[in-house]
């Protein structure tokens, strides 16, 4: 995409920090989230889940439950179409099991009843006959030839000898002669790493309210990152047409990727269809952990060669990911991202996915990248230590830059890695003295950023205000950013613009809020929709002035004659043009529909200081600074918010968060008590430094910022812990028992 | 489920005794409601004891304090006199859960929930606290360590419940402390914990001590060998090392999602060592 | 068996009918339509349902609805007056201390209880007091700053 001339202009609105439009609703408790709406006469639904990690479902007897007074409807897997397409079929089977329960918590039946108490009682009366099967939850074990087969017939055709039937995916990336590169190195380090599955941990459990009538018309209210995606999936699973299903996205209480798919929505719709009443379905926290998207769990080998002066000669990584009980391509993104920060002559990554008896993976903030980059950045740190090199200097020396052929193929355009590394080096944090027992760690991070299908309408109201209608749920302040860009482009005040999120019947298709795409893609479409409206407003002014449309230009929120030859007319503001629009041709609106390309990649660098209690293995994070290229920070408060929030999720991943399975294959910690997300007292302030290296693919230079910040903390913390205790940590999370064991083993 | 809120102890005992099915006492409810929500218990009767006379008050008695069974952690923490006499007990109680949980949770409930990891219990055991039990018969006093008999199980008989916990008077130059290990800084269940209560003579030599450990055995464990290791010492390094070793030797923990046997055994000793130093300083000893 | 409960919510006398098993949170949301308090876990681990009960900060998911009889309850809906946000609410907007906002009601109620008890807390005081209020979006940084800003403003008012 061509570099946009507007990109270098002086911004009046973009870069300021006005209050968010949904703010007062959210601080007064008025904002309506998934579970906050009810319908007259609605029923309450509950889902029965398998207690077994792997079991054949021999029979489901619902007769006793159905006979319970107040029970209005029961559905099982038989009530849903099984689409031919594998993508939809896997979702269908995950939403409601068919012949087999594939993990602890897999849905097997659902009930709609007149009250939560009746629904809960009905679940107890559903009799499921299981034939328990051997299970596997560990990725390495699952890849072996003798592992229990999670889903027969899903293995990738290229599975080599020695790998089992659970291996569903293979990928390979890279360039150059890796063997030659290692031969040129002064030191080659090869290490293996493991990372636990983690959960997005959004505070709002999945919730929806469905209403479907006998003629096939349906309305669905739900918390989702993408109402259009929900419509597509639900319409497919229920065998109805997209036009008949209107999906409205509620305010969303966090998603981080985990609400980019569906779990309960088709169930609520099916129960509504069956009972003829609205049905509300809200997950418990236990269900959220057991049955919604954790990340992949991984096992990774990394080998890197380096010269004495810090030049990386070659890099190689083998990644084994498990996305749970269904085929999963997330390893692709890990294999592509692993070495993205480096300019390498020789690099190769290969990736495998294995099925395990765990819940179906859902996206989590930069899916696949944190694990791979953790492994690579750990080995780079070990090389720096062994060769006595400054870890920032080494990264600067080897940094990917404009013109670098990336490790995954494309050649980078303008990217901000070098500037970000140099900012870190110049920052006082990097040279602040450390006390005895304290250590500093750092890591680079990377995310591709997405564009995608986007559709925006912009309506100019007759009172000179503007409504922007977009189709991506606002997950962290994006309505403010979109309003800022509309105001900027139109040349009007921020508070003259109101941005709303449309339901699926009110706007064209939009991809889900994912891949850090919204401020970039929706912003781009908003700017272009504003330009569309500006064109129309210039036309109206031309008409009023009786001059050519081409002789009118838009400046500072008003139409002006383009030059002395165009005539002498006082400028007409947006409000003035809008006020007479009914007399000049009718309402004024701008639109833009596009499949956006050109999302510029995003790099970040994190610095952390911490100390480890060598008697207990407890880690205390003392100081944390995030450096990241935002391209252009539209609303810096929310850019900082993404950087801080992502960093803290990464800190949690590094130190304490993990899915813990028992020998029985059951999840041991399905709650916030033992799935330990960071609490306020665990953390220091998270300082932020925003770099702005404009993305050539966006009119204002915007890059997505949401995902990159979860990537560096894993290795930054691990590198600091390893330096603090003098032993390389190779497994996440670095819970106190693991650290203490590592310290003891090293001393023994 | 029925809910009753009796106004007298006798009425409460009557209700509990008359009910044939499962009963639960409701004071702070921070354990009971979680169990109800999870479907772990389905009681026929819940008896709310917060309206019973004296159950929400703290009164001085014989140089110590009688803490009503419905006194919340927050209320206890605001009592400067109790805090001055038994700082370790108050700190331990204030470690239970969040600020929100502190608004409701009680020491008596923590004791009767009978979790080996209960925060207040090691401190109460080290303090030599005594529970007063009401029921169908006459009230009786029982040392707190005799209440839990295993995870989730107490020595209370049918119809019985705790009405107060008595923290005794203590000699001059006494101090207590409680430390627990959790992976985060808040909101976790103790992986291992230790409480130490001790008294010094004028020269700073320990004349009496009680050491209790949590989360390392089916019930909170009073470790007499650990106390013996420091009595007669000024808590010199050698004595502290013996204390830690005695504590680790007394552990018989389990491997679970919160910690390993190895970790709990080692860290219990570390915590006892650190708690002993705090208690010693509080007692006026020069460390 | 249904029980009739008379209570006071945000200064207003209200009555509702509930089942004995029902939590105060369920009653606030379901019986009284006050959906500002959120259920994030139902087990007292996330703080999204924080309310005050007779002046004490509690998780309303860990209180039986019947216990509200005769009590004074404060929820997020009671923070603002008709024409003015509470200083904490304004500070949360000014400091962008929320992203998704679902934890915000509980945090505001908890922070208000803190500042009533301790008008001049340290950052560490704020962080420990709010440790029972999980926020997954912000990393807490801007929340702590917003609470301190509101505290300073309330001290000077």
């Amino acid at each position: 995409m061509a570099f946009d001339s507007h990109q270098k202009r002086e911004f009046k609105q973009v870069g300021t920090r006005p209050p968010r439009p949904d703010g007062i609703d959210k601080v007064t408790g008025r904002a309506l989230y998934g579970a906050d709406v009810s319908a007259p006469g609605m029923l309450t639904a509950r889902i029965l889940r398998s207690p077994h990690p792997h079991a054949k479902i021999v029979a489901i007897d619902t007769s006793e439950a159905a006979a319970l007074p107040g029970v209005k409807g029961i559905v099982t897997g038989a009530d849903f179409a099984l689409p031919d397409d594998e993508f939809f079929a896997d979702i269908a089977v995950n939403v409601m099991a068919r012949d087999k329960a594939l993990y602890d918590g897999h849905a097997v039946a659902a009930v709609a009843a007149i009250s939560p108490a009746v629904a809960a009682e009905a679940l107890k009366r559903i009799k499921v006959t299981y034939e328990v099967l051997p299970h596997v939850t560990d990725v390495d074990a699952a890849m072996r030839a003798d592992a229990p087969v999670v889903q027969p017939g899903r293995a990738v055709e290229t599975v080599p000898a020695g790998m089992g039937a659970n291996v569903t995916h293979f990928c390979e990336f890279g360039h150059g002669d890796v063997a030659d590169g290692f031969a040129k190195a002064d030191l080659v380090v090869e290490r293996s790493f493991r990372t636990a599955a983690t959960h997005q941990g959004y505070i709002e459990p999945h919730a929806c309210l469905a209403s479907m009538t006998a003629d096939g018309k349906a309305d669905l209210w739900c918390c989702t990152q993408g109402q259009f995606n929900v419509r597509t999936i639900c319409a497919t699973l229920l065998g109805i047409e997209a036009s008949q299903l209107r999906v409205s996205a509620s305010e969303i209480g966090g998603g981080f990727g985990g609400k980019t798919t569906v779990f309960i929505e088709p169930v609520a719709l099916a129960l509504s269809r069956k009972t003829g009443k609205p049905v509300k379905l809200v997950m418990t926290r236990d269900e959220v952990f057991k049955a919604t998207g954790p990340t992949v769990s991984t096992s990774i080998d990394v080998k890197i060669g380096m010269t004495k002066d810090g030049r990386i000669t070659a890099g190689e990584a083998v990644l084994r990911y498990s996305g749970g009980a269904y085929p999963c391509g997330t390893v692709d993104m890990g294999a592509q991202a692993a070495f993205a920060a480096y300019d390498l002559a020789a690099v190769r990554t290969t990736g495998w996915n294995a099925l395990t008896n765990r819940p179906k993976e859902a996206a989590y903030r930069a899916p696949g990248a944190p694990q791979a980059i953790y492994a690579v950045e750990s080995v780079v740190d070990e090389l720096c230590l062994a060769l006595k090199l400054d870890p920032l200097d080494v990264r600067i020396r080897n940094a990917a830059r404009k013109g670098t052929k990336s490790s995954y193929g494309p050649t980078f355009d303008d990217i901000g890695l070098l500037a970000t590394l140099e900012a870190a080096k110049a920052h006082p944090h990097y040279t602040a003295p450390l006390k005895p027992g304290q250590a500093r760690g750092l890591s680079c991070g990377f995310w591709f950023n997405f564009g995608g299908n986007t559709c925006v309408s912009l309506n100019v109201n007759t009172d000179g205000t503007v409504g922007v209608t977009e189709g991506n749920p606002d997950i962290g302040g994006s309505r403010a950013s979109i309003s800022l860009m509309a105001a900027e482009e139109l040349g009007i005040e921020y508070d003259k613009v109101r941005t709303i999120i449309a339901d699926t019947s009110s706007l064209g298709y939009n991809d889900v809020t994912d891949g850090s795409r919204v401020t970039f893609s929706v912003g781009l479409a908003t700017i272009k929709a504003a330009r569309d409206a500006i064109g129309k407003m210039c036309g109206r002014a031309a008409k009023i002035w009786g001059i050519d449309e081409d002789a009118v230009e838009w400046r500072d929120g008003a139409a002006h004659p383009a030059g002395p030859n165009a005539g002498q007319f006082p400028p007409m503001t947006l409000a003035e043009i809008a006020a007479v629009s009914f007399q000049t041709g009718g309402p004024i609106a701008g639109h833009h529909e596009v499949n956006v390309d050109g999302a510029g990649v995003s790099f970040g660098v994190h610095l952390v200081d911490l100390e480890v209690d060598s008697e207990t293995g407890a880690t205390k994070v003392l100081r944390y600074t995030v450096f990241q290229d935002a391209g252009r920070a539209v609303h810096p408060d929310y850019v900082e918010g993404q950087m801080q929030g992502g960093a803290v999720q990464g800190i949690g991943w590094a130190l304490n968060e993990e899915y813990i399975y028992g020998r029985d294959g059951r999840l041991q910690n399905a709650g916030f008590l033992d799935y330990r997300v960071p609490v306020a007292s665990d953390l220091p302030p998270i300082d932020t430094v925003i770099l702005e290296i404009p993305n050539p693919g966006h009119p204002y230079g915007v890059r997505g910022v949401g995902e990159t910040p979860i990537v560096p903390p894993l290795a930054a913390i691990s590198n600091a812990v390893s330096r603090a205790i003098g032993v390389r940590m190779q497994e996440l999370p670095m819970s106190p028992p693991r650290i203490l064991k590592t310290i003891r083993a090293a001393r023994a | 489920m029925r809910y009753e809120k009796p106004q007298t102890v006798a009425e409460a005992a009557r209700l509990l005794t008359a009910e044939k099915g499962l009963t639960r006492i409701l004071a702070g409810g921070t354990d009971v409601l979680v169990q109800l929500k999870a479907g772990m218990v389905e009681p026929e009767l819940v008896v709310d004891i917060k309206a019973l006379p004296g159950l929400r008050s703290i009164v001085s008695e014989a140089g110590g304090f009688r803490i009503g069974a419905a006194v919340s952690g927050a209320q206890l923490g605001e009592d400067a006199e109790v805090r001055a006499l038994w700082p370790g007990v108050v700190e331990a109680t204030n470690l239970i859960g969040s600020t929100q949980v502190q608004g409701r949770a009680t020491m008596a409930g923590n004791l009767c929930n009978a979790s080996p990891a209960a925060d207040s219990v090691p401190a109460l055991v080290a303090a030599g606290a005594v529970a007063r039990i009401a029921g169908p018969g006459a009230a009786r006093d029982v040392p707190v360590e005799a209440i839990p008999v295993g995870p989730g199980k107490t020595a209370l008989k049918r119809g019985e419940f705790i009405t107060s916990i008595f923290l005794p008077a203590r000699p001059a130059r006494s101090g207590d402390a409680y430390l627990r290990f959790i992976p985060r800084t808040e909101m976790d269940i103790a992986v291992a914990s230790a409480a130490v209560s001790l008294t010094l003579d004028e020269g700073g030599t320990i004349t009496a001590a009680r050491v209790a450990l949590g989360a390392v055995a089916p019930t909170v464990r009073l470790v007499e060998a650990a106390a013996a290791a420091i009595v007669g010492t000024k808590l010199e390094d050698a004595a502290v090392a013996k204390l830690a070793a005695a504590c680790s030797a007394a552990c018989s923990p389990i491997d679970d999602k919160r910690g390993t046997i190895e970790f709990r055994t080692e860290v219990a000793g570390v915590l006892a060592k650190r708690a002993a130093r705090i208690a010693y300083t509080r007692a006026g000893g020069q460390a | 068996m249904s029980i009739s409960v008379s209570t006071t919510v945000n200064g207003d006398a209200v009555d509702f009918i509930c089942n004995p098993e029902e939590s105060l949170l369920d009653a606030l949301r379901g019986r009284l339509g006050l959906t500002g308090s959120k259920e994030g876990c139902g087990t007292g681990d996330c703080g999204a349902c924080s309310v005050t009960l007779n002046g004490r900060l509690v998780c309303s998911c860990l209180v039986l609805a019947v216990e509200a009889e005769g009590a004074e309850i404060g929820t997020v809906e009671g923070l603002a007056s008709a024409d003015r946000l509470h200083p904490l609410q304004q500070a949360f907007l000014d400091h962008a201390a929320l992203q998704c906002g679902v934890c915000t009601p509980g945090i505001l109620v908890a922070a208000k209880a803190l500042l009533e008890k301790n008008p001049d807390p340290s950052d560490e005081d704020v962080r420990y007091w709010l440790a029972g209020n999980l926020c997954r979006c912000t990393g807490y940084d801007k929340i702590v700053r917003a609470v301190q800003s509101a505290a300073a403003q309330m001290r000077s008012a």
Side-chain angles (χ1 to χ4, degrees), chain A residues 542-559:
Chain A
K543 195 169 178 183
I544 291 165
W545 294 334
I547 64 175
D548 263 8
E549 220 174 297
D550 296 348
V552 181
E553 65 178 18
W554 192 263
R555 232 172 37 237
D556 301 328

Side-chain angles (χ1 to χ4, degrees), chain A residues 1-3 7 413 520 524 596-600 694-702:
Chain A
M1 192 174 288
F3 193 86
Q7 208 173 40
D413 200 328
F520 167 72
L524 178 144
V596 189
D597 206 351
N695 168 22
H698 187 276
Y700 295 170
V702 169

Side-chain angles (χ1 to χ4, degrees), chain A residues 445-459:
Chain A
F446 161 84
W447 183 243
F448 308 91
N449 289 334
F450 295 177
N453 293 296
T454 310
C455 177
V456 168
S457 282
L458 183 149
N459 294 300

Side-chain angles (χ1 to χ4, degrees), chain A residues 124 284 613-619 656 660 668-669 672-682 736-737 740-741 744, chain B residues 34 37 39 42 181-189 191 256-260 262-264 266-267 270-271 273-274 277:
Chain A
K124 291 184 201 161
T284 63
D613 182 337
S614 62
E615 288 188 318
T616 65
T619 299
N656 278 311
I660 303 170
Q668 303 289 303
N669 59 335
F672 279 134
L673 183 61
D674 287 299
Y675 183 89
R676 304 180 189 100
V677 306
V679 301
S681 49
D682 292 344
L740 195 61
K741 195 174 175 181
R744 290 288 165 272
Chain B
V34 174
K37 173 101 184 171
E42 292 182 0
F181 183 83
I182 55 171
R184 294 180 289 188
T185 52
E186 277 282 352
M187 301 306 290
D188 291 325
I189 304 292
V191 181
D256 71 0
K257 60 195 171 187
R258 292 172 187 151
T260 58
E262 183 190 19
F263 181 82
R264 288 186 155 114
E266 179 165 352
V267 171
V270 171
L271 295 170
K273 181 174 82 176
R274 293 178 182 180
R277 290 196 169 122

Side-chain angles (χ1 to χ4, degrees), chain A residues 284-286 289 670-674, chain B residues 29-31 33-40 97-98 101 187, chain C residues 23 25 38-49 59-63 132 134:
Chain A
T284 63
R285 177 56 55 183
D286 177 78
F289 277 113
F672 279 134
L673 183 61
D674 287 299
Chain B
T30 50
D31 287 315
L33 264 80
V34 174
Q35 292 161 3
L36 287 178
K37 173 101 184 171
M40 285 161 62
S98 60
V101 166
M187 301 306 290
Chain C
S23 71
L25 176 62
K38 308 299 181 192
E39 179 161 321
C41 67
T43 50
D45 297 310
C46 81
C49 65
C59 285
S60 59
C61 74
L62 294 186
V63 178
L134 300 183

Side-chain angles (χ1 to χ4, degrees), chain A residues 246-257:
Chain A
R246 181 173 65 165
V247 183
S248 305
S250 69
E251 292 296 335
I252 179 169
F256 315 106

Side-chain angles (χ1 to χ4, degrees), chain A residues 409-420:
Chain A
T411 297
F412 286 130
D413 200 328
D414 284 324
I415 56 171
L417 178 58
L418 208 51
T420 309

